[in-house]
Amino acid sequence: MSTELSPMARFLLLAAAFIIVVAGMRAAAAILEPFLLSLFIAVICSPYLAALNRRGVPNGISILIIMGIIVLVGLVIGAVVGSSIQSFRGDIPQYQARLQGMTTEVLARLNQFGLAIDPSQWRESFNPSAALALAGNTLSSFGNVMANAFLILLTVIFILAEEVGVTDKIRYANADPDKALAAIERFSKSVNQYMAIKMVLSLLTGVLAMTWLMVLGVDYPVLWGLLAFLLNFVPTLGSILAAIPAVLLALVQLGSGSALLAALGYLVINVGVGNILEPRLMGRGLNLSALVVFLSLVFWGWVLGPVGMLLSVPLTMTVKIALESVDDTRWLGVMLGSGKGLQLPAVAREDNVADRDTGAGR
């Protein structure tokens, strides 16, 4: 009696397993959020740990140095940003009232030109003041997760300490350790390279946005720089989402001219960093499809909330790199990509050359 499942049965089984896993992830979001942040920080710190080890620094001292730097940076950011987040959330109703008054004036002027719009319907369909509240809630949610700083740092320490003995474990656990180590090395190298470059570019984006808003005199420029830094991990959509609350605040606080200058500054920064500098550093091998970026933003945001939205692209990129590192699943990684710079496998290229030669011979 054959127990082999039909293709439809296998598909239904995999779909059911996927749904169960996603439901479990959503139920365990309170545990997964700090763990994923820990893993995210550990991946970023891993190259620096390896660099210190290559210079002869013992592994324990290297981890202590990295943890000390992380704690110092965290204390500085917490001191500067923590109070600003609370102040901004307290001022949100005032900014929303001003924005609502400006919206009422615009609707009144449109009514003078014969364009009558119901204010209640307008608020239901288009409510720009909600962007300010969303920005405040996102920053506050991220701050709440960072309240588990001790747990996050402890997890990072264990991940970095465990990384040293992983190679020996793989050699003993696999029948073909060289192949497994080569695949893991390709995967970790690609992830570390992506994270390191993205971290530097996101930091540059946040600093430039903060500096430009300081020049314009917009309130809370450090918050908007932090938001630009965090959302820069989400390509295309992240830069737009980061600019909306800052531009709206510039409109409410300083007027339409300053709002236009703020929007122009964000445009220049994102075009310069995202469309000119990033492709030169990243290359074409790590691109994601725009549809995949959007779907990953929606999916991880639904599963893990605002933190999931911030980590959506790094998580999806990690899955993509992992799929591309294994021959059997490489096609799935290719499907997640943007399709730029693709090359046919060697066998397919040889077949195409042979077909052309045969055609020429005829």
Side-chain angles (χ1 to χ4, degrees):
M1 179 178 175
S2 177
T3 59
E4 184 177 355
L5 298 176
S6 65
M8 179 58 69
R10 285 198 299 269
F11 171 77
L12 293 176
L13 183 62
L14 290 175
F18 176 76
I19 293 172
I20 294 173
V21 170
V22 170
M25 291 173 61
R26 193 177 185 193
I31 300 175
L32 281 178
E33 287 178 358
F35 174 74
L36 290 175
L37 281 175
S38 303
L39 189 60
F40 180 69
I41 295 172
V43 169
I44 293 175
C45 296
S46 179
Y48 304 104
L49 177 64
L52 289 174
N53 290 336
R54 285 195 299 268
R55 286 172 171 77
V57 181
N59 189 63
I61 298 177
S62 301
I63 293 176
L64 288 178
I65 292 173
I66 294 174
M67 289 301 101
I69 295 174
I70 292 176
V71 169
L72 181 61
V73 173
L75 289 175
V76 172
I77 293 177
V80 174
V81 174
S83 59
S84 298
I85 291 176
Q86 297 300 324
S87 299
F88 172 68
R89 295 195 70 189
D91 292 339
I92 283 178
Q94 180 182 355
Y95 292 135
Q96 288 179 323
R98 292 182 187 175
L99 191 58
Q100 193 63 41
M102 297 175 67
T103 303
T104 303
E105 292 180 4
V106 171
L107 293 178
R109 291 188 179 183
L110 291 176
N111 193 21
Q112 292 177 357
F113 290 98
L115 297 175
I117 300 177
D118 186 7
S120 60
Q121 184 178 2
W122 173 268
R123 284 193 297 268
E124 292 177 0
S125 304
F126 179 73
N127 187 11
S129 60
L132 296 175
L134 178 61
N137 292 334
T138 300
L139 291 170
S140 179
S141 175
F142 186 76
N144 292 336
V145 174
M146 294 307 294
N148 298 320
F150 178 75
L151 175 61
I152 292 174
L153 288 177
L154 193 62
T155 307
V156 171
I157 292 174
F158 281 115
I159 292 174
L160 293 177
E162 189 73 14
E163 183 180 349
V164 178
V166 170
T167 301
D168 294 334
K169 292 181 180 180
I170 293 174
R171 289 189 182 278
Y172 285 106
N174 285 272
D176 189 2
D178 293 334
K179 183 178 180 180
L181 286 173
I184 292 175
E185 183 179 359
R186 287 196 307 270
F187 169 72
S188 60
K189 184 178 179 180
S190 299
V191 172
N192 289 335
Q193 180 185 13
Y194 169 77
M195 290 297 186
I197 295 175
K198 196 67 179 177
M199 181 76 174
V200 173
L201 293 177
S202 298
L203 183 61
L204 177 61
T205 301
V207 170
L208 291 176
M210 179 187 67
T211 304
W212 179 241
L213 294 175
M214 279 184 176
V215 171
L216 294 178
V218 180
D219 289 343
Y220 306 108
V222 177
L223 285 185
W224 308 128
L226 176 63
L227 192 64
F229 163 74
L230 294 174
L231 291 181
N232 192 65
F233 286 96
V234 181
T236 308
L237 295 174
S239 59
I240 298 174
L241 294 175
I244 290 175
V247 172
L248 288 176
L249 184 58
L251 176 64
V252 171
Q253 180 190 351
L254 303 173
S256 57
S258 296
L260 183 60
L261 289 175
L264 183 61
Y266 270 95
L267 180 62
V268 172
I269 292 170
N270 290 306
V271 169
V273 177
N275 295 344
I276 297 177
L277 188 58
E278 184 171 327
R280 289 179 179 273
L281 296 177
M282 288 284 192
R284 295 182 176 180
L286 296 177
N287 287 334
L288 281 176
S289 165
L291 177 61
V292 172
V293 170
F294 176 74
L295 293 179
S296 67
L297 182 67
V298 174
F299 174 77
W300 290 111
W302 177 73
V303 174
L304 299 176
V307 174
M309 295 177 68
L310 296 177
L311 297 179
S312 61
V313 171
L315 290 172
T316 306
M317 182 62 70
T318 302
V319 173
K320 177 178 180 292
I321 295 172
L323 293 173
E324 290 179 341
S325 300
V326 181
D327 293 336
D328 293 339
T329 59
R330 183 179 178 275
W331 66 275
L332 286 172
V334 173
M335 295 300 294
L336 293 176
S338 62
K340 296 180 180 179
L342 293 179
Q343 294 182 352
L344 290 173
V347 175
R349 288 199 300 270
E350 292 174 0
D351 292 341
N352 288 344
V353 171
D355 292 341
R356 287 198 299 269
D357 292 342
T358 303
R362 293 177 183 174

